Amino acid sequence: MPTILGQNQYGKAENRVVKITRDGDTHHIKDLNVSVALSGDMDDVHYSGSNANVLPTDTTKNTVFAFAKEHGIESAEQFGIHLARHFVSSQEPIQVARIRIEEYAWERIATSDGNSRFIGADDVKHSFVRKGQETRTTQITFDGEKWEVISGLKDLSVMNSTNSEFWGYVKDKYTTLKEAYDRILATDVSAKWRYNWTSDEERMPNWEKSYEQTRKHMLQAFAETYSLSLQQTLYQMGSRIINSRSEIDEIRFSLPNNHHFLVDLEPFGLKNDNEVYFAADRPYGLIEATVLRDGVEPKIPVDMTNL
Amino acid sequence: MPTILGQNQYGKAENRVVKITRDGDTHHIKDLNVSVALSGDMDDVHYSGSNANVLPTDTTKNTVFAFAKEHGIESAEQFGIHLARHFVSSQEPIQVARIRIEEYAWERIATSDGNSRFIGADDVKHSFVRKGQETRTTQITFDGEKWEVISGLKDLSVMNSTNSEFWGYVKDKYTTLKEAYDRILATDVSAKWRYNWTSDEERMPNWEKSYEQTRKHMLQAFAETYSLSLQQTLYQMGSRIINSRSEIDEIRFSLPNNHHFLVDLEPFGLKNDNEVYFAADRPYGLIEATVLRDGVEPKIPVDMTNL
Amino acid sequence: MPTILGQNQYGKAENRVVKITRDGDTHHIKDLNVSVALSGDMDDVHYSGSNANVLPTDTTKNTVFAFAKEHGIESAEQFGIHLARHFVSSQEPIQVARIRIEEYAWERIATSDGNSRFIGADDVKHSFVRKGQETRTTQITFDGEKWEVISGLKDLSVMNSTNSEFWGYVKDKYTTLKEAYDRILATDVSAKWRYNWTSDEERMPNWEKSYEQTRKHMLQAFAETYSLSLQQTLYQMGSRIINSRSEIDEIRFSLPNNHHFLVDLEPFGLKNDNEVYFAADRPYGLIEATVLRDGVEPKIPVDMTNL
Amino acid sequence: MPTILGQNQYGKAENRVVKITRDGDTHHIKDLNVSVALSGDMDDVHYSGSNANVLPTDTTKNTVFAFAKEHGIESAEQFGIHLARHFVSSQEPIQVARIRIEEYAWERIATSDGNSRFIGADDVKHSFVRKGQETRTTQITFDGEKWEVISGLKDLSVMNSTNSEFWGYVKDKYTTLKEAYDRILATDVSAKWRYNWTSDEERMPNWEKSYEQTRKHMLQAFAETYSLSLQQTLYQMGSRIINSRSEIDEIRFSLPNNHHFLVDLEPFGLKNDNEVYFAADRPYGLIEATVLRDGVEPKIPVDMTNL
């Protein structure tokens, strides 16, 4: 046979599970989108169509919902760990399980504003508005021995309206760009960071706190960096996280440079003193890089977009 | 000629204008998406292609950017009023101008958390993160005499994890639904409300405060209503706004019923005590209605989706 | 009560039904997205939450799937007519039913290319590839007596690479656009046309043939018009359809002007002889108009976008 | 310094270039979306913000448009090769250039249907309708010596309405799925294939013909395979391409299993004889695998989705 099978994986993608936990009248939500990918001894199903080693993707879906009841959802990472361990340990042919999760945050609707004159205006503890902003992500991979946890976020839109310059670059025959000494710097942060926790023997990070702190450092580094290039800002964001969070060894960013072009108002007799900008869609700069703790081997895949 | 021209309008859509206002080191952002539609004496351009009455859509774009400098952007509504007045009053053939605006909210990145040990950790006043949540909208229409202002919001996702029932409905031969006595109620609010301000002689509403209060009443009514149907919740949201905001005469909602189905865990020997839900995509219930101040004539068009 | 209920409607939106018809080994597909909206005596459900008049949206969903079996799907229009008639005639409180349908076209995968040397290479009659291009739409409204059928299409992307000019327009102080004597004209056609069939007494149009012919005339008029403005092209498209299809009385278009800007290559010592264009996203011109048979009253709503 | 920089790349993404070639009255279109990513000696810009080695992303954009004039666009692959060679050979700090291109196909609008009675009804050679269906893709990587060309397609939706079964699978405590002996098999094909052309010394493939033939084999293998699992169908599609196209050594697929569930019509007293299906959105099965020529090393990255 002149052709052979290479890497392969299968499972149910995008299981949308919502878990409500009731603490008396106070409710808590976890809202996840869970994708399962299993690999192992799967030659036969590809070559002959024999499903003898195939746990149906429908079963992997059922397992996600059943585990939300059986284990609860403490964090996306912890939930993914339960799932990955189950598939690898319970199914002989499955050698690697990879669980990817998106999490959508909700916050409470404030009702007790003191001046509400409507019935039921006591503080309501079961009403939520979706927080918007970024989507939190995680990817749990387990081969029966070692864990790899790569968490992250995407679509976190940030903007500095000053403290950004761009000049001193290479100029070739196709260069027409003018140097900028005060520009808007805006991006939609997409980031993935790898935890150095790899074994059940080690103490597990506090996933919720780690996420919250990583996000905070990322935003603060973006805000506090006087930027000569988006690459410099990216590196500042990454190194502050590596320096502040000992549980994280590596972080990769994909940062579109969301161009805000200063509009030329001179034809209308007006001066544009860094006030009026046109927010462009395409094309956009795209800056991607990994920042690592010195001495560790990079493992986050380079591709974070499909472009 | 057996065919004739009916209603027509033209203009530049989706002008993405960002306005930065600098108050010393403290910056403020307005981030808008502005669409212009002009109507008037436009028969010739349709029948013969003569552009003698046509102000180019490119010019309407330029005007949006120039007006951001000339008039500033106090609110989306006020900005739209400047634009609509200009087109109708400066161009003889233009009889009606309709300006539609989407606004995206930004909030400041908190940097002065007291324990930051990095350079530049003073409070930064030019750094922003997009707020997410709803998109604010407005539509300004001016015919040279009367104003119509219809503002609104879209994509505000809310959820009650209890206090929702659905029973006592009609059952025909195609009915299989079981009655529910404790269900999740979730929707993405899309709403448009019409102001009763119509003339330059009248005092203009405070557009920013009105938006903020309308949004607050909407969320609180959603949270505080014990719901027997999404229609009832919709009506409570609308009537609370009409009752609380004298500047608003009419509001229309389009509310998808974002189904969260209780997962049947019995096959796995588990009891699902209103804990684990499957968040479905399609199909979804779609509930649409207008709520009016008694005695006023409804003017908001019925169609709020393209489905 | 100071607030009252205005126009309202409800139902299940986006029921994705696929119907396979087997004619021996030859299969046929209909792939629809059906949205139901019912109106009538619905005050109580809004005011008090009583569902006594409410046929559940879940039941309207079931009806869509059951009718695909009971009546088949001859055309989207015919299917919508069956559904609308059913809801109005079988449910006392329902006075108006509006059915909206999107249809996705599929074409057969060609397998008998004569030189296939693989097993099973006989002509396969159950394999399809989605056609892409436009989405076909229809909206059926029935009030128990009169029918209104508004069909259409959306997302049909077309381009003329020449035979388009734009000059002789109004110039005000914000005008900077240069006149164009040979430009690209490109748009994504969105159109809705109204049939003059309104009663069961009249002979129904051949919906499939009418769609096919209307689409053909639309494309040919776009191709064959030497255009001095997109408005002129729009009118030619509409009037050719009204003149050619006696079953159609009115058509409305929403045509974005998908700008293709000639790139300035002079800085690189190159001449751009109408060869290299930048396809822009936003902003875009937006041209909207109704074309009518002389003497008929326009009924298609003006709003075809949510911008 | 406890943190270091890892892999990094930058450039302008999504340059939308349209090239018109005029052969007398007959025009030809190439419609591309080109993304540039450059890597090399870029430590300084990350560490200190020095742009001394940085060719601006704006320049990479200009180069795309200039090259459309200077070299024309024979194929997406050939165009990407021109660009990649240029960046690596003309800029000392650039060591690797990766060019990704999406291509959108257009077909001519048929105008000479013989019975047109309108002016201008001669065959028009400059009018096009976008073909829809799949987006063609390519990725060209050049390090100054070796070429890697990975082409592909995405969003090619296909469906077999019979000749698909699924049974004989593993059953665990979470398995509820019933075996299927005649089901719909539907997917949106996403595929990437790697050419074995790597050097300027070797004869370059005919990119246009190779694409057309690969697409044809893919569709025919999908249609002609009697499927016991989507994995089996995937392997058939891959192996037929490897066996038929000697210029391709490796292909990877990402195939969602677009579930079409047979609707239970029994509650309505109807029998559903494989006629009426509900087309579901989420969750979906996701089947991914590489098929290789025996003996070659796989190089296409495993991740083809961001889920």
Side-chain angles (χ1 to χ4, degrees), chain C residues 198-239:
Chain C
T198 61
S199 150
D200 288 322
E201 313 301 305
E202 299 159 13
R203 198 166 131 236
M204 210 177 265
N206 179 331
W207 307 112
E208 299 295 79
K209 182 177 175 194
S210 184
Y211 180 81
E212 176 206 314
Q213 290 293 309
T214 300
R215 181 184 186 281
K216 189 195 75 175
H217 287 299
M218 192 182 291
L219 285 176
Q220 292 188 348
F222 176 80
E224 295 168 5
T225 300
Y226 190 104
S227 176
L228 301 173
S229 71
L230 183 48
Q231 283 92 329
Q232 185 194 20
T233 297
L234 180 156
Y235 187 76
Q236 287 301 313
M237 293 163 75
S239 64

Side-chain angles (χ1 to χ4, degrees), chain C:
Chain C
M1 188 168 45
T3 64
I4 58 164
L5 179 68
Q7 198 279 352
N8 59 87
Q9 59 196 16
Y10 83 101
K12 195 71 98 192
E14 302 208 41
N15 299 284
R16 295 279 292 103
V17 60
V18 171
K19 177 81 188 338
I20 304 295
T21 307
R22 301 179 176 217
D23 177 11
D25 284 349
T26 303
H27 291 200
H28 304 273
I29 294 184
K30 281 285 180 179
D31 183 358
L32 306 184
N33 189 21
V34 181
S35 296
V36 175
L38 307 178
S39 307
D41 183 6
M42 294 291 155
D43 283 10
D44 281 359
V45 65
H46 291 87
Y47 291 140
S48 72
S50 161
N51 293 300
N53 280 357
V54 176
L55 186 73
T57 65
D58 187 78
T59 301
T60 68
K61 176 198 71 179
N62 286 348
T63 310
V64 168
F65 289 104
F67 271 40
K69 168 72 186 185
E70 293 188 82
H71 300 278
I73 302 179
E74 194 183 300
S75 65
E77 285 82 358
Q78 180 63 71
F79 189 62
I81 288 168
H82 284 305
L83 285 165
R85 189 192 305 276
H86 166 79
F87 291 119
V88 172
S89 62
S90 68
Q91 289 297 323
E92 178 66 25
I94 304 298
Q95 286 146 16
V96 179
R98 191 202 69 195
I99 310 296
R100 286 183 175 172
I101 302 178
E102 294 185 340
E103 179 170 356
Y104 315 111
W106 294 79
E107 57 191 21
R108 290 182 193 284
I109 295 176
T111 47
S112 58
D113 63 350
N115 55 21
S116 184
R117 54 196 163 80
F118 298 95
I119 350 164
D122 287 346
D123 213 10
V124 172
K125 299 289 188 37
H126 60 262
S127 275
F128 303 89
V129 57
R130 191 161 153 175
K131 199 168 181 301
Q133 296 194 332
E134 84 273 11
T135 296
R136 178 174 168 180
T137 66
T138 192
Q139 171 183 294
I140 310 294
T141 312
F142 185 54
D143 65 3
E145 293 194 5
K146 287 286 177 195
W147 294 96
E148 185 188 73
V149 181
I150 296 176
S151 295
L153 56 79
K154 58 183 182 182
D155 298 328
L156 182 64
S157 299
V158 291
M159 184 193 296
N160 285 332
S161 53
T162 187
N163 286 12
S164 167
E165 309 185 7
F166 187 58
W167 49 266
Y169 41 75
V170 175
K171 292 175 188 68
D172 74 2
K173 65 177 284 205
Y174 299 110
T175 302
T176 55
L177 186 73
K178 286 185 186 148
E179 302 198 324
Y181 300 95
D182 189 355
R183 63 172 189 173
I184 282 184
L185 189 69
T187 188
D188 305 318
V189 182
S190 190
K192 293 185 181 178
W193 52 88
R194 184 169 54 80
Y195 287 97
N196 45 34
W197 178 82
T198 61
S199 150
D200 288 322
E201 313 301 305
E202 299 159 13
R203 198 166 131 236
M204 210 177 265
N206 179 331
W207 307 112
E208 299 295 79
K209 182 177 175 194
S210 184
Y211 180 81
E212 176 206 314
Q213 290 293 309
T214 300
R215 181 184 186 281
K216 189 195 75 175
H217 287 299
M218 192 182 291
L219 285 176
Q220 292 188 348
F222 176 80
E224 295 168 5
T225 300
Y226 190 104
S227 176
L228 301 173
S229 71
L230 183 48
Q231 283 92 329
Q232 185 194 20
T233 297
L234 180 156
Y235 187 76
Q236 287 301 313
M237 293 163 75
S239 64
R240 190 177 299 193
I241 289 164
I242 300 295
N243 285 330
S244 306
R245 304 304 309 171
S246 61
E247 72 274 24
I248 297 174
D249 268 5
E250 180 188 4
I251 182 163
R252 187 165 177 87
F253 291 95
S254 178
L255 301 185
N257 192 340
N258 292 340
H259 303 306
H260 286 67
F261 296 114
L262 204 60
V263 179
D264 179 10
L265 301 178
E266 276 193 31
F268 323 127
L270 301 169
K271 186 158 184 295
N272 190 351
D273 194 16
N274 289 338
E275 293 160 278
V276 179
Y277 295 86
F278 164 58
D281 294 307
R282 293 192 296 184
Y284 48 90
L286 185 56
I287 310 299
E288 300 174 287
T290 297
V291 180
L292 295 148
R293 191 173 301 286
D294 200 5
V296 311
E297 189 196 348
K299 293 186 181 164
I300 301 176
V302 164
D303 272 347
M304 286 178 58
T305 80
N306 286 323
L307 273 182

Side-chain angles (χ1 to χ4, degrees), chain A residues 16-20 22 27 29 31 62 65-66 68-70 106-107 109-113 115-122 124 126-133 156-163 182 184 215-217 219-220 222-224 240 243-244 260 263 265 268 270-279 281, chain B residues 16-20 22 27 29 31 62 65-66 68-70 106-107 109-113 115-122 124 126-133 156-163 182 184 215-217 219-220 222-224 240 243-244 260 263 265 268 270-279 281:
Chain A
R16 295 279 293 102
V17 60
V18 172
K19 176 81 185 341
I20 304 295
R22 300 179 176 214
H27 290 200
I29 295 184
D31 183 0
N62 287 347
F65 289 104
K69 168 73 185 183
E70 292 188 84
W106 294 79
E107 57 191 18
I109 294 176
T111 48
S112 57
D113 63 351
N115 56 20
S116 184
R117 56 196 162 78
F118 298 94
I119 353 166
D122 286 346
V124 172
H126 60 263
S127 274
F128 303 88
V129 56
R130 190 161 154 176
K131 198 167 180 304
Q133 296 192 333
L156 181 65
S157 299
V158 292
M159 184 193 297
N160 285 331
S161 53
T162 188
N163 285 13
D182 189 356
I184 283 183
R215 183 185 185 278
K216 190 195 74 173
H217 286 299
L219 284 176
Q220 291 188 349
F222 176 80
E224 295 167 4
R240 190 176 301 192
N243 286 329
S244 307
H260 286 68
V263 179
L265 301 177
F268 324 127
L270 301 169
K271 186 159 185 297
N272 191 352
D273 193 16
N274 288 339
E275 294 161 278
V276 180
Y277 296 86
F278 164 59
D281 295 307
Chain B
R16 295 278 295 102
V17 60
V18 171
K19 176 81 187 340
I20 304 296
R22 300 178 176 216
H27 290 201
I29 295 184
D31 183 358
N62 286 348
F65 289 104
K69 167 73 185 183
E70 293 188 82
W106 293 80
E107 58 191 20
I109 295 176
T111 47
S112 56
D113 63 350
N115 56 20
S116 184
R117 54 194 164 81
F118 297 95
I119 352 165
D122 288 345
V124 172
H126 59 262
S127 274
F128 304 88
V129 57
R130 191 161 155 175
K131 198 168 182 302
Q133 295 193 332
L156 182 64
S157 300
V158 292
M159 184 193 296
N160 285 331
S161 54
T162 187
N163 286 12
D182 189 356
I184 283 185
R215 181 183 186 280
K216 190 194 75 174
H217 287 300
L219 285 176
Q220 291 188 348
F222 177 80
E224 294 168 4
R240 189 176 299 193
N243 286 329
S244 306
H260 287 69
V263 179
L265 302 177
F268 323 127
L270 302 169
K271 187 160 183 297
N272 190 351
D273 194 15
N274 288 340
E275 294 161 278
V276 179
Y277 296 86
F278 164 58
D281 294 307

